[in-house]
Amino acid sequence: MTRSLWLLLSFFAASTHADEAAILNKDFRIMMEWFPGVYDNQEQVYFEGEQGIDEGARHKRSHYVFASAQLPAFGDHVFYVQQHLNDDASEIYRQRLYSFRPDYENNAIRQTIHIPDDSDRLIDAHRPGEDRAVSYAWADPSVERIGINLRWMQASCTLATS
């Protein structure tokens, strides 16, 4: 009887682990589909000015490019990252390689950040000209105004007080 109980518990443990692995695989696949792209906080910066938020509390305009890179030495899921400020592509403040992998033991997605020794050689390694933001949504800190930019259409809503 004790032997049967241990076999049954082992079966359930293996089944649970397989379920967790399947969920992690699905989540990882979705993340790898959604992660690459171009992101920008242009609307946030614009509306902070419109709302009269103090200059010292305003966000800086940031532009982020996350481009898939085929670099097997760093792993199967690698991205070139380039970030610049103030709508000026020459103000690059960060270049990295991000690699991701599923960690089945801890049921997590692991990210490794690689910092290049000579980042100047990597400038615009993502094929410039394709770095316009695709689409995004935003909300102001007080959540009175929300907006969406789909490139072909922009919209915003403001909460009115009655």
Side-chain angles (χ1 to χ4, degrees):
M1 171 116 169
T2 305
R3 184 180 224 183
S4 299
L5 180 61
W6 282 114
L7 284 172
L8 187 61
L9 288 175
S10 297
F11 171 76
F12 283 125
S15 176
T16 301
H17 184 69
D19 290 345
E20 288 177 355
I23 292 169
L24 181 59
N25 284 336
K26 177 188 68 75
D27 291 347
F28 186 74
R29 180 183 47 78
I30 290 170
M31 181 180 168
M32 292 301 99
E33 289 173 7
W34 289 1
F35 188 77
V38 178
Y39 305 92
D40 193 300
N41 70 338
Q42 173 184 0
E43 299 292 324
Q44 178 184 36
V45 171
Y46 173 80
F47 282 105
E48 284 179 346
E50 288 286 305
Q51 293 172 334
I53 293 176
D54 182 54
E55 283 283 333
R58 292 183 194 175
H59 289 83
K60 292 182 180 180
R61 171 95 184 266
S62 302
H63 188 84
Y64 308 90
V65 176
F66 299 97
S68 183
Q70 299 300 315
L71 299 168
F74 292 94
D76 294 331
H77 305 280
V78 180
F79 296 88
Y80 169 70
V81 178
Q82 181 169 296
Q83 299 168 325
H84 69 263
L85 294 173
N86 301 321
D87 205 22
D88 182 350
S90 69
E91 282 194 56
I92 296 171
Y93 71 92
R94 182 173 294 138
Q95 290 173 279
R96 304 285 192 261
L97 292 175
Y98 289 179
S99 62
F100 296 93
R101 67 176 177 80
D103 178 350
Y104 297 104
E105 185 175 315
N106 293 297
N107 194 30
I109 296 173
R110 295 288 174 206
Q111 175 188 24
T112 304
I113 300 173
H114 307 275
I115 302 171
D117 291 331
D118 185 4
S119 58
D120 288 344
R121 295 179 65 194
L122 292 176
I123 291 175
D124 296 330
H126 63 285
R127 298 184 311 286
E130 298 178 13
D131 62 351
R132 291 190 330 174
V134 178
S135 61
Y136 53 89
W138 58 269
D140 74 358
S142 65
V143 192
E144 292 180 0
R145 181 178 275 189
I146 61 169
I148 187 169
N149 181 348
L150 300 174
R151 286 182 66 189
W152 58 273
M153 178 205 61
Q154 290 187 24
S156 67
C157 298
T158 303
L159 179 65
T161 55
S162 331

